[in-house]
Amino acid sequence: MAERETQERLRLWLERAGPGFRLRDAATEEVVRADDQRVRVTKVAGVSYRLDALQGDAFAPGRRLALVPEPDNEHDPHAIGVWDADRRQQAGYVPAEVAEELDAEQWQAVSLREYHEDGQRSGLRILLAPQDAWIGLPRA
């Protein structure tokens, strides 16, 4: 953690790209790749069980999302639910292999890209960034 404290605050822009957004480092203007160690970009797991929730605007690309830890989850004590910002609807979960590495209280989430099948949203990719990162969202 000491190394992170000495680094400049991460600042990211969301830039429109197809049916979603790509990331750009606000300091360098370089595109931030999905494998950048400062962030996590991942598909949401379990969306096929909650497709109705995905159809509204709450999970549209560019929306802030809530990460909700589920320490009492009987299948995975590291489970982190992905909810809309108001915590009314759940889209799914941070994948287990990613959730195991995260403290949900130290991270924030933004919807990046949606996937469509038969005219409906069928999947979601999200950005996970440190809580202290600044994320510039495009104006509507």
Side-chain angles (χ1 to χ4, degrees):
M1 189 61 134
E3 178 182 320
R4 176 139 172 73
E5 291 172 1
T6 62
Q7 293 177 355
E8 184 177 320
R9 178 180 181 195
L10 178 61
R11 297 180 303 133
L12 301 169
W13 285 108
L14 294 187
E15 182 176 84
R16 292 198 188 279
F21 297 96
R22 70 174 155 233
L23 303 169
R24 194 169 289 278
D25 188 307
T28 66
E29 298 186 11
E30 297 285 324
V31 171
V32 176
R33 295 170 33 117
D35 61 356
D36 189 300
Q37 295 300 305
R38 300 172 296 171
V39 299
R40 305 286 186 282
V41 175
T42 186
K43 283 188 176 182
V44 176
V47 295
S48 62
Y49 299 105
R50 297 171 184 85
L51 289 177
D52 287 345
L54 283 185
Q55 304 316 309
D57 286 338
F59 297 102
R63 298 290 182 149
R64 292 196 182 273
L65 305 173
L67 297 174
V68 180
E70 295 183 10
D72 297 328
N73 184 302
E74 66 182 82
H75 302 288
D76 181 1
H78 301 289
I80 300 172
V82 177
W83 291 71
D84 70 316
D86 296 326
R87 295 185 182 195
R88 293 186 183 148
Q89 294 181 309
Q90 184 178 7
Y93 288 91
V94 173
E97 63 276 7
V98 177
E100 205 171 306
E101 303 172 0
L102 299 182
D103 173 355
E105 302 296 322
Q106 301 297 315
W107 292 80
Q108 60 180 306
V110 175
S111 175
L112 282 184
R113 185 177 208 84
E114 59 192 12
Y115 298 90
H116 293 267
E117 187 173 306
D118 298 328
Q120 293 194 11
R121 288 185 187 130
S122 60
L124 185 64
R125 186 172 293 273
I126 61 173
L127 162 68
L128 299 170
Q131 191 65 34
D132 65 346
W134 177 86
I135 301 172
L137 301 175
R139 293 189 176 114

